[in-house]
Amino acid sequence: MRNLILVLGDQLDLEASAFDGFDPKQDAVWMAEAQEESTHVWSSKQRIALFLSAMRHFALALREAGRPLYYHRLDDKTPPAALPSLGAKLKEDLIALAPQHVVMTAPGDWRVFEQLKATVRDVELELEVREDRHFFSSVADFAAHAKGRKSLRLEYFYREMRKRHNILMDGAEPEGGQWNFDADNREAFGPEGPGQVPPRAMFAPSALTQEVIDLVNTRFANHPGSLSSFAWPVTRAQALEALERFVQERLALFGRFEDALWPGEPWLYHSHLSAALNVKLLSAREVVARVEQAYKDGQAPLQSAEGFIRQILGWREYVRGIYWTQMPGYCELNALNAQEDLPEWFWTGHTDMACLQDAIAQTLQYGYAHHIQRLMVTGLFALLLGVRPQQVHAWYLSVYVDAVEWVELPNTLGMSQYGDGGLMASKPYVATGKYIQRMGGNCSGCRYDPALRVGDRACPYTTLYWDFLMRHETALAKNPRMALQVKNLARLSGNERQAVAARAGAIRRGEVGATPQLKSH
Ligand SMILES: Cc1cc2nc3c(=O)[nH]c(=O)nc-3n(C[C@H](O)[C@H](O)[C@H](O)COP(=O)(O)OP(=O)(O)OC[C@H]3O[C@@H](n4cnc5c(N)ncnc54)[C@H](O)[C@@H]3O)c2cc1C
Ligand code: SF4
């Protein structure tokens, strides 16, 4: 054998660089389902099922394309399939198959990359790692952008990307004369709610997906979440259909309601394409091109097209650059010295806080929550409570179908928890319950009142917000973007400060917020 091509669960692209020059007479592909990839964090059933189903469908696509394949299923009985880690399985096969070269596209996870490099080294072969063309920019491009900058900000990076790739440009100027339409993209629904939202694109499980669902329900029975509503795209054809449905049915209103929340409405006007993008069933380039075309064709306003493209051409590329230029130290950072444990009810949704109950319940049911739910509902609560960023990271990496470490970690540890002390975000994203009230309808159905910071009905977010400012007053006062918020602390008397700290303590002890059945745990 000349080349053995390694394909990981988030590299399901027949056009990936690892296949350049592939010759079926001399080369073969290697894929493996490893127990460890579902257990190194307590992966949700939805996430495991999505990866396994997409991998098994990709294996069919490889065979149809005539590419010889060695594939280990999780339920195979014989070694090396029964071995728990990717590295252990690969080692056995490298010895048996004795390829001249081992080739792969750059992976998305530091831990896996280290394991594979060590395995290949162990058998005295070389691993050829090729650039991942799925992304607009390489890690080297990002490093060049970051060089010499004291802090990194999305805006500068994003503008460079727009110019370099000539996306939404009018000559040298941004289309519409503005680089960003954020100010137009913060609308909430009125008291009547969002009305009739188009149903999400659903894909009924094929026989192969059903087999995976049965396997996950048996083998990972105690893992979080449920598979009763599994309907994610798991093939390229389905992913393309999901993209088209998004453009036709949701894109036009994406921008306006990008930040809005509404109870019982998980999907709103978001694309739900993150998992398909992250396992590479869709290319970032084709998604951006399709949305730019929809704008040019008059199907969507500029505020929506720009808002959406910023997420992919901007944020998605930016967090990848942060991850690969900052690892491995990045995952250990804890700039605010947060030491609390993640409340147990994050894994069950058993809380009486309506916004959190809603966001966690849908997360467990679908493996999905949109950005503002992640950042300003679950993430904000953990930040204000003072949970160790590493525990928050493990939760986000477990529960979402789109969770892959290169994108999840900077979003969680950096953007949401301020664990990197401002490398990614210029200030901690902190707010009271009034922010959640402004963006959606959760508070009207909640036993707490977002306007109150102390007392039995005080919203835990509001109490914890003031407690957060008190706990970090000295450090935050040095940040010009936090100065006004910190200055407002002066309005609190000594007694009020004491009352806030006392109630924050009760929330931390689980005396407030957890529903009764869990208080005894
Ligand atoms: C704490 C936290 C954890 C997150 N973890 C993940 C994760 O594990 N995987 C993941 O793909 N995204 C993650 N995100 C980013 C974002 O929330 C999701 O990409 C988005 O909610 C997915 O839903 P969607 O496809 O409907 O997105 P849309 O709202 O339709 O956005 C379009 C696309 O833009 C990209 N995108 C949007 N925001 C971001 C962002 N901040 N960073 C990178 N890409 C972005 C995604 O590919 C997404 O599909 C996280 C955000 C936070 C605050
Ligand atoms: S009152 Fe507070 S806890 Fe209740 S829904 Fe509103 S923000 Fe959430």
Side-chain angles (χ1 to χ4, degrees):
M1 182 184 297
R2 183 183 65 168
N3 291 340
L4 185 66
I5 314 295
L6 312 185
V7 172
L8 301 174
D10 63 348
Q11 299 183 323
L12 310 180
D13 175 8
L14 288 172
E15 308 299 323
S17 57
F19 291 116
D20 290 355
F22 188 89
D23 176 357
K25 292 196 202 72
Q26 315 181 65
D27 304 331
V29 186
W30 184 90
M31 293 178 72
E33 301 169 2
Q35 175 90 4
E36 188 184 52
E37 295 312 302
S38 302
T39 55
H40 80 280
V41 289
W42 197 32
S43 245
S44 70
K45 294 193 182 89
Q46 287 268 342
R47 179 173 183 261
I48 304 173
L50 181 122
F51 274 82
L52 293 185
S53 170
M55 284 171 76
R56 289 184 183 190
H57 280 98
F58 187 69
L60 293 181
L62 282 170
R63 290 195 174 109
E64 270 167 30
R67 299 184 193 173
L69 171 67
Y70 294 88
Y71 189 101
H72 298 296
R73 286 165 56 124
L74 204 57
D75 44 355
D76 284 347
K77 296 287 181 288
T78 48
L83 294 170
S85 75
L86 276 175
K89 286 187 208 303
L90 180 61
K91 188 169 177 180
E92 297 271 311
D93 281 346
L94 289 179
I95 293 166
L97 299 170
Q100 290 167 19
H101 304 281
V102 186
V103 177
M104 72 185 303
T105 302
D109 185 310
W110 179 276
R111 176 188 55 87
V112 169
F113 194 24
E114 291 301 299
Q115 195 182 99
L116 295 179
K117 278 193 293 192
T119 305
V120 176
R121 224 178 14 243
D122 256 16
V123 292
E124 295 179 2
L125 284 169
E126 269 189 36
L127 180 61
E128 182 190 336
V129 181
R130 296 183 182 166
E131 194 65 59
D132 192 345
R133 288 194 292 254
H134 169 94
F135 294 97
F136 284 88
S137 62
S138 67
V139 176
D141 289 340
F142 184 86
H145 163 87
K147 199 166 175 220
R149 290 177 197 260
K150 279 201 197 111
S151 56
L152 299 168
R153 294 294 167 256
L154 169 82
E155 195 57 34
Y156 305 117
F157 174 74
Y158 171 62
R159 290 181 190 185
E160 272 180 22
M161 295 289 280
R162 288 265 298 272
K163 287 187 223 159
R164 189 181 317 148
H165 297 283
N166 194 25
I167 291 167
L168 290 181
M169 295 299 294
D170 180 4
E173 296 302 314
E175 182 76 17
Q178 265 171 256
W179 289 105
N180 112 38
F181 293 82
D182 272 1
D184 302 327
N185 285 359
R186 294 198 183 111
E187 216 174 306
F189 303 111
E192 68 292 348
Q196 197 62 40
V197 179
R200 70 162 167 157
M202 291 178 71
F203 301 90
S206 63
L208 198 154
T209 300
Q210 194 52 53
E211 213 175 80
V212 166
I213 290 175
D214 295 342
L215 172 70
V216 174
N217 276 334
T218 317
R219 192 149 179 156
F220 303 100
N222 69 345
H223 281 231
S226 125
L227 286 170
S228 55
S229 59
F230 188 89
W232 291 104
V234 288
T235 64
R236 172 142 173 87
Q238 291 175 343
L240 285 169
E241 191 184 327
L243 168 61
E244 204 46 39
R245 289 274 301 272
F246 166 65
V247 170
Q248 301 298 340
E249 297 168 9
R250 295 182 135 78
L251 175 62
L253 288 178
F254 173 88
R256 258 176 87 185
F257 298 118
E258 196 178 342
D259 285 3
L261 296 162
W262 201 261
E265 291 285 355
W267 313 110
L268 294 174
Y269 293 98
H270 294 272
S271 68
H272 327 132
L273 293 174
S274 47
L277 275 161
N278 293 352
V279 300
K280 317 286 162 55
L281 292 176
L282 288 176
S283 106
R285 291 162 194 274
E286 74 191 333
V287 173
V288 166
R290 181 67 191 93
V291 167
E292 187 180 19
Q293 192 57 47
Y295 161 68
K296 287 184 179 156
D297 294 345
Q299 276 182 291
L302 184 55
Q303 74 180 86
S304 279
E306 189 284 320
F308 185 83
I309 286 173
R310 161 186 298 263
Q311 306 308 315
I312 295 186
L313 183 67
W315 281 112
R316 192 165 179 270
E317 300 277 329
Y318 180 72
V319 299
R320 177 170 180 259
I322 300 240
Y323 180 80
W324 284 108
T325 52
Q326 302 299 317
M327 281 298 277
Y330 197 73
C331 65
E332 293 308 323
L333 298 179
N334 185 359
L336 296 174
N337 190 26
Q339 297 298 345
E340 293 295 317
D341 286 330
L342 189 76
E344 218 179 287
W345 49 257
F346 261 71
W347 299 102
T348 61
H350 289 162
T351 168
D352 58 10
M353 291 177 265
C355 55
L356 276 160
Q357 205 283 326
D358 192 51
I360 296 175
Q362 73 164 69
T363 293
L364 296 174
Q365 188 178 354
Y366 303 115
Y368 178 82
H370 63 72
H371 188 66
I372 291 300
Q373 290 176 305
R374 298 188 204 197
L375 185 66
M376 298 307 284
V377 180
T378 43
L380 174 60
F381 190 82
L383 170 65
L384 295 177
L385 196 69
V387 178
R388 268 183 66 75
Q390 288 66 32
Q391 289 193 18
V392 188
H393 157 53
W395 186 78
Y396 281 98
L397 192 56
S398 300
V399 294
Y400 291 112
V401 284
D402 56 33
V404 187
E405 197 174 85
W406 65 264
V407 52
E408 177 279 327
L409 181 68
N411 268 298
T412 304
L413 189 137
M415 190 192 303
S416 162
Q417 302 299 301
Y418 203 68
D420 63 11
L423 181 72
M424 218 181 120
S426 56
K427 67 182 186 95
Y429 283 96
V430 287
T432 68
K434 281 191 186 167
Y435 173 85
I436 294 171
Q437 182 181 42
R438 198 164 56 246
M439 297 318 295
N442 280 297
C443 298
S444 54
C446 185
R447 71 175 292 268
Y448 300 108
D449 180 345
L452 301 177
R453 66 177 155 242
V454 289
D456 195 37
R457 291 194 53 240
C459 165
Y461 282 91
T462 306
T463 309
L464 290 171
Y465 167 82
W466 292 101
D467 176 71
F468 181 90
L469 293 184
M470 279 157 41
R471 289 190 293 120
H472 299 293
E473 188 170 357
T474 317
L476 295 179
K478 293 184 197 136
N479 182 335
R481 295 204 59 207
M482 288 300 292
L484 194 65
Q485 278 169 285
V486 175
K487 220 168 135 197
N488 283 334
L489 260 182
R491 292 194 324 217
L492 266 62
S493 68
N495 283 348
E496 277 178 307
R497 281 180 174 241
Q498 268 183 10
V500 164
R503 187 162 166 84
I507 299 168
R508 289 202 177 88
R509 291 190 297 277
E511 293 158 16
V512 176
T515 46
Q517 62 265 42
L518 278 190
K519 274 187 186 159
S520 58
H521 278 230

